């Protein structure tokens, strides 16, 4: 299943602020289902990569400690017309990506 990402960004003086809203349950695997008494299976984003014009700018590792539907805001060196791509992968193998061109 693909991970849904809504993203926007703007560049000012060579620095772009990238904002992304990610739709994902971010289940840590320790929360219990009260009806069955069993834990919900772990499902969380574990790798985030942000690239500018195809070159990796930020690579980060996440864990189950991040809240559901996380919001991410980062600043990278980029100018108007540059292409920003965010790629995500979760611990179950699901992936998501979104690309924008800065204005």
């Amino acid at each position: 299943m693909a991970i849904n990402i809504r993203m926007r960004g703007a560049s000012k003086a060579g620095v772009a602020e990238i904002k992304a809203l990610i739709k994902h349950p971010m289940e840590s695997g320790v929360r219990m289902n009260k009806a069955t008494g069993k834990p919900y299976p772990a499902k969380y984003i574990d790798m985030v990569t942000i690239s500018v014009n195809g070159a990796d700018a930020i690579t980060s590792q996440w864990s189950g400690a991040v809240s559901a539907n996380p919001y991410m805001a980062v600043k990278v060196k980029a100018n108007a017309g540059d292409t920003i791509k965010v790629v995500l992968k979760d611990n179950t193998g699901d992936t998501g990506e979104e690309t924008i061109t800065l204005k």
Side-chain angles (χ1 to χ4, degrees), residues 79-92:
N79 296 303
D82 288 349
T83 301
I84 307 294
K85 183 176 183 180
V86 173
V87 178
L88 308 172
K89 183 183 82 57
D90 74 9
N91 67 318
T92 64

Side-chain angles (χ1 to χ4, degrees), residues 28-89:
S28 66
V30 296
R31 192 167 65 97
M32 300 296 282
N33 182 334
K34 292 180 181 175
T36 64
K38 296 181 179 178
Y40 290 100
K43 183 171 179 64
Y44 55 87
I45 296 169
D46 60 359
M47 184 62 70
V48 179
T49 303
I50 301 170
S51 61
V52 178
N53 295 327
D56 287 352
I58 298 172
T59 300
S60 63
Q61 295 179 340
W62 289 10
S63 70
V66 178
S67 67
N69 301 320
Y71 170 77
M72 174 180 70
V74 297
K75 292 183 178 180
V76 295
K77 289 183 179 180
N79 296 303
D82 288 349
T83 301
I84 307 294
K85 183 176 183 180
V86 173
V87 178
L88 308 172
K89 183 183 82 57

